């Protein structure tokens, strides 16, 4: 049976997993339930055969080359963090930074800027920003939900529009392939650049972070989380189950060790430096390619694995060589680090699997087929955007969504005579919107992981912000489809987002006593 014939059923596995996750808070069981239902449909409604096919989906996705490397990277990061906790370096650096960061606003703003600064790769940015800033935001009583939101809404949106990032090659490659298909002789890279002003959701999501942080505005579940953190000093809710336990209480720095800030900074700097070098090297930078070309062709998964392994070697050398910590204590810390990431690894594995089930059921072609019946040239960007949102929300991957939509939407847009830049932007940014709202998205999972936030709480608090930016972006794509230039539409969108945020928000600034200085402006 062709995937297109599953129709509305193709949406059911992902929707079931998402609903169960939000209502039961049992992420793993909910994800597997969705996988099993989808697999059962694929094998002709035989529950026993569906269970066997479910396990095969998990095996196939966990053993896929890129995914294996991402899981290895996650385990290595766990080992690195375990050793960093043992060194006391994170607390030492936090103490140094707190002397310069005097307010909650400065702590949140610093997190936002760091998330945008590490624009080369969204995974690396999430990991580094979360690891560096979590002790700082904790000391200033910023909720873990807010930290996860900042990570999720600065890292991927920035990487997706950066001309020097691991996203560039994938996005430009998709554009180039479709230009060849429709017989248009244009530069794919220049068309990528033309699409940036039309990345309405990505740009509005970034703007919202700074509006919320600088103006000190929050609404919906996030306002409740921030009030709890400010007034009660609880960065996590009473019933929260952090996706990654930070393990600081389980890993104790030996009494003879004097923690140094560079015990933390050295492995992190190694991680950043080796990631950049590896991306450049694997992309052919030393073979004569330009920086942009090298990053476009880089082996992202290999680069982050090499970098995380190098960072582990650096902190291991520091612990044994400089801090004089016994090898058995280091080994115990490494295993504690592995324990930190076991649950996120399980969630990622099942999230990939349910995405594969949804694709096998033909969710992409189904959504596209529905859209095609109501498309006009003027409505095309908005409909493509909403189609990308639904697909990305259902399969939990922005890159997979891009791969599904490009071969259909771009030829259709060309046939209708619609401008290509807004249509391309609608795919690329709509995929991010769906990603931000989906509990099964890998970037959403990683944001919860490195913020050490409850995953369901992160999703619940982020969705209202993402939906606001997404609704405004939909209106802007309608404007763009009917010829309104981006330089006119985007300021209107920014004003709308800022105004609605202000109207919905609660002023939460309160003075909270702290041994680390003022926590509120």
């Amino acid at each position: 049976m062709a995937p297109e014939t599953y129709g509305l059923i193709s949406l059911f596995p992902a929707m079931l997993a998402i609903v169960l996750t939000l209502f039961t808070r049992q992420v793993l069981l909910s994800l597997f339930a969705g996988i099993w239902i989808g697999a059962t449909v694929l094998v002709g409604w035989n529950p026993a055969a569906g269970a066997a096919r479910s396990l095969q989906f998990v095996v196939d996705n966990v053993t896929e080359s890129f995914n294996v490397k991402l899981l290895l990277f996650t385990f290595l990061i766990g080992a690195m963090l375990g050793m960093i906790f043992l060194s006391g370096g994170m607390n030492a650096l936090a103490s140094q930074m707190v002397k310069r960061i005097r307010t909650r606003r400065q702590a949140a703003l610093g997190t936002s800027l760091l998330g945008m600064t590490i624009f080369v790769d969204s995974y690396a940015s999430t990991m580094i920003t979360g690891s560096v800033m979590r002790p700082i935001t904790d000391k200033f009583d910023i909720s873990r939900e807010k930290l996860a939101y900042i990570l999720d809404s600065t890292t991927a949106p920035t990487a997706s529009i950066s001309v020097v990032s691991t996203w560039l090659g994938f996005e430009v490659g998709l554009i180039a392939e479709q230009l060849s298909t429709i017989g248009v002789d244009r530069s794919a890279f220049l068309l990528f650049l033309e699409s940036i002003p039309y990345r309405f959701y990505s740009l509005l999501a970034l703007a919202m972070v700074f509006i919320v942080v600088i103006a000190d505005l929050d609404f919906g579940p996030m306002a409740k989380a921030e009030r709890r953190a400010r007034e009660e000093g609880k960065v996590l809710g009473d019933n929260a189950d952090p996706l990654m336990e930070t393990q600081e209480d389980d890993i104790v720095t030996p009494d003879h060790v004097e923690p140094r800030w560079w015990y933390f900074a050295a492995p992190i700097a190694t991680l950043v430096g080796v990631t950049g070098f590896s991306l450049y090297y694997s992309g052919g930078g030393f073979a004569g390619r330009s920086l942009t070309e090298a990053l476009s062709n880089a082996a992202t998964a290999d680069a982050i694995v090499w970098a995380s392994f190098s960072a582990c070697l650096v902190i291991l050398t520091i612990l044994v060589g400089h801090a004089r910590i016994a090898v058995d204590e280091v080994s115990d810390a490494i295993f504690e680090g592995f324990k930190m990431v076991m649950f996120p690894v399980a969630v990622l594995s099942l999230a990939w699997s349910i995405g594969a089930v949804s694709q096998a059921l033909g969710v992409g072609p189904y959504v596209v087929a529905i859209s095609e019946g109501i498309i006009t040239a003027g409505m095309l960007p908005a409909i493509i955007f909403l189609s990308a949102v639904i697909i990305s929300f259902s399969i939990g991957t922005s890159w997979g969504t891009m791969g599904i939509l490009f071969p259909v939407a771009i030829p259709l847009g060309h046939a209708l005579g619609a401008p290509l830049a807004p249509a391309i932007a609608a795919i690329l940014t709509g995929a991010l919107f769906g990603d931000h709202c989906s509990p099964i998205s890998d970037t959403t999972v990683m944001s919860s992981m490195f913020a050490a936030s409850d995953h369901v709480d992160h999703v619940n608090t982020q969705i209202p912000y993402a939906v606001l930016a997404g609704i405004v972006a939909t209106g802007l794509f309608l404007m763009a489809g009917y010829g309104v230039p981006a330089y006119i539409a985007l300021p209107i969108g920014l004003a709308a987002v800022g105004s609605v945020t202000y109207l919905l928000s609660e002023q939460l600034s309160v003075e909270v006593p702290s041994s680390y200085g003022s926590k509120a402006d």
Side-chain angles (χ1 to χ4, degrees), residues 186-198:
R186 295 185 62 184
S187 165
F189 180 68
L190 289 179
L191 194 51
F192 167 87
L193 294 178
E194 289 178 23
S195 76
I196 291 177
Y198 291 97

Side-chain angles (χ1 to χ4, degrees), residues 33 90 208 214 272 359 374 405 436 480:
M90 189 175 289
M208 271 199 71
I214 294 174
V272 175
Q359 291 189 58
I374 55 174
L405 268 181
H436 279 167

